[in-house]
């Protein structure tokens, strides 16, 4: 029996927290997902010569002939989603997680199968909301061919995948990131206006454990803080997509406060998830004073 195979770049995408969103507003969430498919996701796939193989309700599996096209498509989708979410409360945002891998796949009718498809799905599962994770195989194919910055996540154990895999993630930089505020003029040549109420930026927590997987736990703590702070109408909270651009950068917290023109909160997550310990510090934008906020068990 002949088995039809071909080399392909596989992209897996789904909506982070879809069950929570649907539970809170079933009809509204499904209507938004349908609109996003029609106006953003499907057109981007077509623009980059992809083929949607499976729709999963809140996600999709897509085949590309080129890994360059696949990653460019993923990054553009995430940037466009970030722009749409700027004025949306954190707990109501629709954010995609995307994973991509390049491998030999089995073609049957209009469907595809194989380890490569499973790996792409598992890479999507460890991606951050609004983020893109790719395999080392995909990274080797795309390296030097696109103007995209990747961060090495090291060897990762993926669910139901026999061997650990080296994983890379795209460093997502919004069009108006805090890093662009170092030189205060914006694209219009005018200084960025300060909000007319107290403001704060929460940076990604530093993972102090030896376990790479704990970075997602540390990110979850920071995201929960952002979500809770966003509930206060009298407080301006910098969006996660902006504050998380400081991940991995060796910067003083007071310098971040000056760049973002916000008070800044930063933390470190220590020990394992069974006994987590978090330490926090803060800096005021005007005084540049940094002060510890103590520890939380």
């Amino acid at each position: 029996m002949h088995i039809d195979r071909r080399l392909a770049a596989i992209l897996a995408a789904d909506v982070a927290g879809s069950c929570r969103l649907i539970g809170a507003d079933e009809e509204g969430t499904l209507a938004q997902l349908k609109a996003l498919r029609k106006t953003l996701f499907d057109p981007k796939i077509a623009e980059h010569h992809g083929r949607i193989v499976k729709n999963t309700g809140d996600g999709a599996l897509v085949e590309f002939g080129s890994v360059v096209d696949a990653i460019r498509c993923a990054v553009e989708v995430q940037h466009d989603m970030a722009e749409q979410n700027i004025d949306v409360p954190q707990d109501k945002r629709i954010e995609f997680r995307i994973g991509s891998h390049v491998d030999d796949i089995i073609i049957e009718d209009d469907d595809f199968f194989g380890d490569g498809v499973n790996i792409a799905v598992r890479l999507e599962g460890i991606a951050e909301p609004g983020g893109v994770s790719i395999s080392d195989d995909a990274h080797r194919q795309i390296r030097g061919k696109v103007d995209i910055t990747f961060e090495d996540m090291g060897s990762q154990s993926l669910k139901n995948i026999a061997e650990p895999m080296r994983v890379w993630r795209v460093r997502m930089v919004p069009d108006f990131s805090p890093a662009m505020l170092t030189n205060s003029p914006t694209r219009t040549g005018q200084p960025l206006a300060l909000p007319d109420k107290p403001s704060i930026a929460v940076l990604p927590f530093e993972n102090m454990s030896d376990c790479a997987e704990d970075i997602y736990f540390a990110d979850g703590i920071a995201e929960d803080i952002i979500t809770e702070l966003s509930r206060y109408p009298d407080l301006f909270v910098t969006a996660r997509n902006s504050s998380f651009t400081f991940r991995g950068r060796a910067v003083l917290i007071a310098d971040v406060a000056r760049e973002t023109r916000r008070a800044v909160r930063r933390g470190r997550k220590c020990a394992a998830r069974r006994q987590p310990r978090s330490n926090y510090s803060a800096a005021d934008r005007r005084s540049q004073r940094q002060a510890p906020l103590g520890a939380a068990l």
Side-chain angles (χ1 to χ4, degrees):
M1 178 180 175
H2 174 72
I3 297 178
D4 188 12
R5 290 179 176 270
R6 64 171 171 252
L7 188 66
I10 308 109
L11 182 150
D14 83 343
V15 175
S18 59
C19 292
R20 174 183 56 81
L21 292 167
I22 292 173
D25 181 7
E26 183 177 57
E27 292 185 358
T29 299
L30 294 176
Q32 288 184 68
L33 287 174
K34 185 176 180 180
L36 284 171
R37 282 285 312 275
K38 182 178 180 180
T39 62
L40 173 60
F41 194 79
D42 289 9
K44 283 295 181 186
I45 298 297
E47 178 184 339
H48 292 279
H49 315 294
R51 177 177 74 96
I52 297 177
V53 180
K54 292 181 182 178
N55 287 314
T56 59
D58 62 347
L61 286 171
V62 187
E63 177 192 0
F64 291 86
S66 161
V67 68
V68 172
D69 285 339
I71 306 306
R72 280 178 174 161
C73 178
V75 171
E76 289 179 18
V77 166
Q78 297 294 42
H79 274 307
D80 287 357
M81 283 301 302
E83 289 182 1
Q84 292 193 27
N85 280 327
I86 288 176
D87 297 321
V88 179
Q90 186 76 26
D91 59 344
K92 294 183 179 180
R93 292 178 180 176
I94 291 179
E95 294 181 297
F96 289 113
R97 297 180 303 183
I98 297 178
S100 187
H101 177 55
V102 59
D103 207 342
D104 202 62
I105 58 175
I106 297 172
I107 306 298
E108 185 173 312
D109 297 326
D110 291 328
D111 208 345
F112 61 7
F113 305 92
D115 282 344
V117 179
N118 297 333
I119 290 170
V121 171
R122 298 310 178 191
L123 289 168
E124 169 263 301
I126 66 171
E128 298 175 336
V132 179
S133 293
I134 70 172
S135 66
D136 195 44
D137 290 335
H139 182 260
R140 280 197 299 270
Q141 295 293 325
I142 200 172
R143 186 172 50 200
K145 298 177 182 177
V146 294
D147 187 19
I148 298 173
T149 302
F150 296 92
E151 296 177 347
D152 188 353
M153 297 176 64
S155 180
Q156 300 286 320
S157 296
L158 304 177
K159 186 177 179 180
N160 296 331
I161 303 300
E163 298 292 334
M165 296 188 64
R166 188 178 183 184
V167 177
W168 300 76
R169 66 179 169 193
V170 175
R171 178 179 292 175
M172 303 300 298
V173 181
D175 288 340
F176 295 98
S177 70
M180 295 180 180
L181 303 182
T182 305
N183 300 318
S184 59
T186 64
R187 292 179 181 181
T188 62
Q190 299 298 321
L192 182 71
L194 288 173
D196 57 357
K197 53 187 174 182
S199 57
I200 188 169
V202 180
L203 301 189
F205 278 32
E206 206 176 333
N207 179 27
M208 303 301 290
S209 77
D210 295 329
C211 180
E213 291 183 1
D214 278 352
I215 191 170
Y216 302 106
F217 183 53
D219 284 353
I221 296 175
E223 289 169 1
D224 285 347
I225 293 174
I226 291 172
T227 298
E228 291 304 313
L229 290 174
S230 299
R231 300 183 191 278
Y232 293 89
D234 295 329
L235 183 64
F236 182 94
V237 183
T238 298
R240 172 195 179 283
N241 286 333
S242 292
S243 61
F244 270 47
T245 61
F246 286 97
R247 181 198 299 284
R249 293 171 55 186
V251 293
L252 296 175
I253 191 170
D255 291 340
V256 178
R258 184 175 62 252
E259 286 190 24
T260 61
R261 309 184 80 181
R262 309 279 186 267
V264 176
R265 184 175 185 178
R266 176 174 68 179
R268 291 180 173 179
K269 200 286 295 180
C270 307
R273 278 171 280 186
R274 292 187 299 274
Q275 293 180 314
R277 179 181 180 85
S278 300
N279 289 290
Y280 309 90
S281 58
D284 181 78
R285 177 185 65 83
R286 294 182 179 86
S287 67
Q288 306 297 306
R289 184 176 65 88
Q290 179 172 333
L293 296 180
L297 296 176

